[in-house]
Amino acid sequence: MAARFGLAGGIPERRVRPIWDAIDSRQFKASLKLANGLLAKYPTSPYALALKALILERMGKPEEALGICLEAKELLHSNNSVHVDYLTLSTLQIVFQRLDHLELATLCYEHACVKYPNNLEIMIGLFNCYVRECSYVKQQQLAMKMYKLVGEERFLLWAVCSIQLQVHCSSTSQKLLQLAEALMKKHMASNSLHDPEALVLYLSLLEQQEKFDAAVEVLSGDLGSLIGIQEDKLRIQGRLLARACNYSAATEIFERVLVSCPDDWEVFLCYLGCLLEDDLNWLKMDATMQICSPSFDDNGACKANHLSNDEFNSRISSAVSLVQRLQTDCNGGFVRGAFLANIEIERRCRLCGTKHDDNFVEALLTYFYRFGHLSCFASDVENFLHLLTLEEKDKFLEKLMKTLESPPASPLKALDQAISIFKVHESLGVMFSLPLTDLEVTTKRMLQMYCKNLTLSKDLDPQENMHGEELLSMISNILVVLFWRTRILGYLLEAIMVLEYGLTIRRYVWQYKIQLVHLYSLLGALPLAYEWYCMLEVKNILVETVSHHILPQMLNSPLWSETGDLLSDYLKFMDDHLRESADLTSVAYRHRNYSKVIEFVQFKERLGHSSRLLTARLDVPILQLKQKANSLEEVECIFENLNCGSKLLEMSNEDKMKILTFNEDFHARPWWSPTPNINYLADNFEEGFPWLKEKLNKKKKAVEEEGIVKKLIERKSLLPRLIYLSIQISPISLKGNVGNGSLHDADAIKEIKSLLEKYARNIGLSFDDAMSLLLAIFKGQKPLKDLGPDIISWLNFTVFVNAWNLCCHQLESPRKDSSMNSWSVVDYMLRSCISEQLTHPETVLAVPGSNLPVLVQLVAEPLAWHILVIQSCIRSMLPAGKKKKKTGLVDSLNSSYAHAVCDSVQCLISVLQDIGKWVSNQIRKSEDQDVDRLLSHLQRSSSQEELGSILSILEASESMSVSEVGERISAALQSWSAATVCRKISAAQHSLLSQFLSICESKLKLLYSINKSI
């Protein structure tokens, strides 16, 4: 910025340049000294003040910087003699924006525009402020003002773009689009258009209004020459003709594109869709989309085709002729689209029932023979495989396997072809139906293939993908299937060994790391899972799409510090991006890339409505409450910053739920956990697992996941307010006021009842039915399992019901002291649920999907909230400003109340002691004993002859010489050890349990002190 000078506010450049040079070189102390000297000479200069504020903000002194900026702003507004220029305003805008006070910068620019109404530079600065504030109406008005002032095309396009944003981002009438079209027509009549982006913007206006014929006419005229690349022009023209249902013309256009671009797969799908007049996808298109490809899920379109059989066959013949011509033209090259087209044509024929022969399988085999050695082969054909019948699958797989008997001469090509075959097996779910011995032989064969071909990678750079890397991921998947089918833990440990082995050789394989994150989470080694997640080095927007791999497990764990770091890093990125993304929009305006303007705004809007972002904003205060739950005073301090929990209630209102976006990328998740709420390994394996059906139901599972997340958000938004109200109203039966006097008693009781009714609906029942179920379980009339899997939410509900009942006494009981009944229900529910978790004979260190996360949640949530209620009750019993008597609280005015509190404390002490003993038993063995135990699962036994062969192959590879695999790989092989991996697992499991034990002990210590006082 040091070059952008001149006279700024009347200050000569020679006095300002040294300050900017010091700022640019990050010498802030020196620049501050120079800025103070400048202010001494020009004490009323807004620019000098802005410079000092900028330096202070860079030095980490935001409050001082804001004060000086406000002083400069006041000078600009109050002193008409003060000179205002763009450099002063832009410097102030930088500081205000970094301090999250962009509205103040906007006021400065608006004042300057009033003072200098025809200064174009200041008006552009104000326009950028409106862009950052997303004030689309003001953008439009100011852009039109600039257009009328200088008549430049760019300002008209800024106005039109602002109109489009108004229509897209609000419920503004579509009539605005007609206004934008009229403005552009008027401009074109006198000045035409000179920018390709201007033409694209005009076409999008027409398309949004469904004036497709008019758009085609414009594109076919002289203005069409603005689009320099003929294929791009034809793609747009084809799309417009298709949306206008002029399929014959669109087919011809797409055919012309294919002749020049035979590998454009999306264009081929569009060509075939128009040729067969399959218009379902075109009707679904958004005007901002550049092209549309028919979806594999839209099978109904083919089945309901209105063409007769003769017409259909004739048009298919035309498509076949075109494909053959394209294949001839690109013969010998690596153009896949023209050959993949044969499979798509056969798919269409099959869906329409016109062919029942072997053409479909033959097309797949032909594609394999030509491109089977490419890494993309499996993904190319994956969506076609589900159309194969069982007989065709067997025939297809048999022919693929025969190619392994006579592999290509090139070892690399043979390896890649074999990998493609294994990928097809995985896509078809063969691993769920093959006999166990065949699966074991397959894993052994694949691992031997990987080790044998390490020599191919000896000269590669460490950051280059190694040949055969995909094999280890597939081996790991098969070993997890073997575990699921046999429940032999050794298979799961072998899956981990294989991945750790691969990462020892090359540390950059993200697929291995993600699989390990889930496997270690499964084994109760969450610290290791967290460590591998951190090694993924997730940056930028990926924190939004991949955090689901670790965050759900962390939130249910005792690793509160690490969970807080994850949440704070995520929120920092999102807040920074949402604040700074408008700068990208301003750049797009400046460079006249109007399609990017729309894209950037839509992207920011999508991120701003993210379900992950909303959940994280709720998770942070809940985590803080968990961490401080041992101190009622600290919890109340947290609630002061949360507006007593009311602020979080607003996050789950109906309007926000309607616009939630779900941006998680679930494709990288392991097969056994397609979404965070599904874990197939938690249940027993059933023969005939519908693998393909599960894969094809991804969209349905995504919709189900969205419903689960919405309920979770609603529940989490209710939780802090319910905790606050429970703390505040618990003492009402003893005292005449509520806590700090911030709520009227009747209003508080009425509100908590309303929130409890909402909470009950969220967990699946009406309030009355939920209460009846709890009482039935308490009386032994119904089993605990009737609560379903979400016992944490039910126990939270029970705790809050108890607090409400202390004031209203509405729980029915034959005894006179009906309010005491709710204490007994809470005690019973906590004791029963925790006891059930502790009765499992297996150790947490050996059972995947163990009950440890449930135990942690029971202690961290309902039990912790109940202790807060108890602390609130005890505080209300103590005489204000007086020391308690030695006889304790049982001699207070309401001794029955104190007895109930005392019984509840005793109950909590008992269950926490039981948990403490259980956890201590898990970690009492030494690390060496745990390592030996884990290694014993990997040893070969007479009943499991193949178990252990994986480890044997891995250990045998250590003997490979440097000349075979290179120095780097050889050193990695020598450093790998199964015992080291087992030691890491044991240490991580002990660390997790130790942190949980520490939490339990801290709560026990608190309860002992409470018990002593009662």
Side-chain angles (χ1 to χ4, degrees), residues 388-583:
L388 295 172
T389 64
L390 288 175
E391 184 180 332
E392 287 174 332
K393 286 175 190 174
D394 293 339
K395 180 180 179 182
F396 180 56
L397 292 174
E398 182 183 351
K399 290 193 175 183
L400 289 184
M401 294 303 292
K402 281 184 179 179
T403 61
L404 292 178
E405 299 172 3
S406 54
S410 166
L412 182 56
K413 196 169 183 178
L415 173 64
D416 292 338
Q417 197 174 75
I419 290 172
S420 292
I421 293 172
F422 290 132
K423 283 182 178 178
V424 170
H425 277 74
E426 188 176 59
S427 294
L428 289 171
V430 173
M431 54 188 175
F432 297 104
S433 55
L434 275 182
L436 296 178
T437 52
D438 289 354
L439 280 180
E440 291 164 346
V441 169
T442 301
T443 58
K444 185 176 178 180
R445 180 181 184 180
M446 292 167 73
L447 188 56
Q448 288 172 335
M449 186 181 295
Y450 174 82
C451 294
K452 177 184 175 182
N453 287 283
L454 281 174
T455 55
L456 299 174
S457 304
K458 67 177 182 179
D459 297 324
L460 295 178
D461 186 271
Q463 295 194 25
E464 287 186 80
N465 290 339
M466 289 179 61
H467 301 298
E469 268 182 357
E470 301 98 322
L471 284 170
L472 297 189
S473 291
M474 289 188 282
I475 292 169
S476 177
N477 282 334
I478 295 174
L479 288 168
V480 175
V481 173
L482 282 167
F483 161 74
W484 191 26
R485 293 174 65 175
T486 64
R487 287 293 164 179
I488 297 173
L489 185 62
Y491 288 122
L492 206 60
L493 292 172
E494 282 186 337
I496 289 173
M497 296 298 166
V498 166
L499 296 171
E500 287 276 8
Y501 176 84
L503 285 166
T504 303
I505 297 173
R506 196 173 86 88
R507 307 288 286 182
Y508 304 99
V509 190
W510 62 268
Q511 294 92 335
Y512 298 173
K513 295 177 183 178
I514 286 179
Q515 282 182 279
L516 280 176
V517 166
H518 290 274
L519 286 171
Y520 281 137
S521 299
L522 205 61
L523 265 183
L526 196 56
L528 260 182
Y530 175 71
E531 182 181 328
W532 278 117
Y533 178 81
C534 292
M535 288 184 187
L536 280 168
E537 297 182 352
V538 177
K539 296 176 181 176
N540 300 327
I541 197 59
L542 285 178
V543 299
E544 165 74 1
T545 59
V546 306
S547 60
H548 61 86
H549 289 291
I550 190 67
L551 204 49
Q553 302 95 291
M554 295 294 287
L555 289 167
N556 297 334
S557 79
L559 306 179
W560 290 344
S561 176
E562 293 85 348
T563 306
D565 291 341
L566 277 176
L567 290 170
S568 61
D569 290 345
Y570 169 72
L571 289 176
K572 182 180 183 302
F573 163 75
M574 294 295 285
D575 290 339
D576 289 347
H577 179 81
L578 293 173
R579 183 171 57 248
E580 297 168 4
S581 61
D583 292 336

Side-chain angles (χ1 to χ4, degrees), residues 820 823 827 869-871 873-874 877 889 896-907 1010 1014:
M820 298 304 102
W823 288 97
D827 296 343
V869 172
I870 289 172
Q871 290 183 76
C873 292
I874 290 175
M877 292 181 191
L889 295 179
S896 58
Y897 194 105
H899 276 298
V901 173
C902 184
D903 290 343
S904 197
V905 170
Q906 292 291 342
C907 173
I1010 292 174
I1014 303 177

Side-chain angles (χ1 to χ4, degrees), residues 951-962:
L951 188 60
S952 302
I953 296 170
L954 296 177
E955 290 174 342
S957 67
E958 296 175 16
S959 61
M960 299 181 78
S961 65
V962 176

Side-chain angles (χ1 to χ4, degrees), residues 571-676:
L571 289 176
K572 182 180 183 302
F573 163 75
M574 294 295 285
D575 290 339
D576 289 347
H577 179 81
L578 293 173
R579 183 171 57 248
E580 297 168 4
S581 61
D583 292 336
L584 296 173
T585 311
S586 296
V587 171
Y589 272 115
R590 187 163 65 246
H591 290 282
R592 307 180 186 191
N593 196 339
Y594 305 111
S595 57
K596 285 295 179 186
V597 169
I598 306 291
E599 181 183 325
F600 289 152
V601 170
Q602 289 177 341
F603 186 67
K604 179 185 176 183
E605 188 180 48
R606 183 174 182 84
L607 277 188
H609 298 150
S610 161
S611 60
R612 174 62 58 191
L613 177 61
L614 187 54
T615 306
R617 294 202 191 283
L618 293 168
D619 284 330
V620 168
I622 293 173
L623 181 61
Q624 291 173 348
L625 290 170
K626 289 180 184 179
Q627 291 173 308
K628 304 298 182 183
N630 288 354
S631 171
L632 183 59
E633 291 74 19
E634 291 187 53
V635 165
E636 288 175 334
C637 288
I638 293 172
F639 278 121
E640 286 179 11
N641 298 324
L642 298 176
N643 191 23
C644 303
S646 298
K647 186 164 63 174
L648 301 181
L649 282 176
E650 299 166 5
M651 291 187 178
S652 64
N653 63 46
E654 189 176 349
D655 292 337
K656 288 191 176 181
M657 290 295 102
K658 285 180 180 177
I659 59 175
L660 270 186
T661 58
F662 299 86
N663 307 318
E664 292 86 354
D665 178 13
F666 290 148
H667 291 93
R669 292 185 67 88
W671 65 263
W672 66 84
S673 180
T675 70

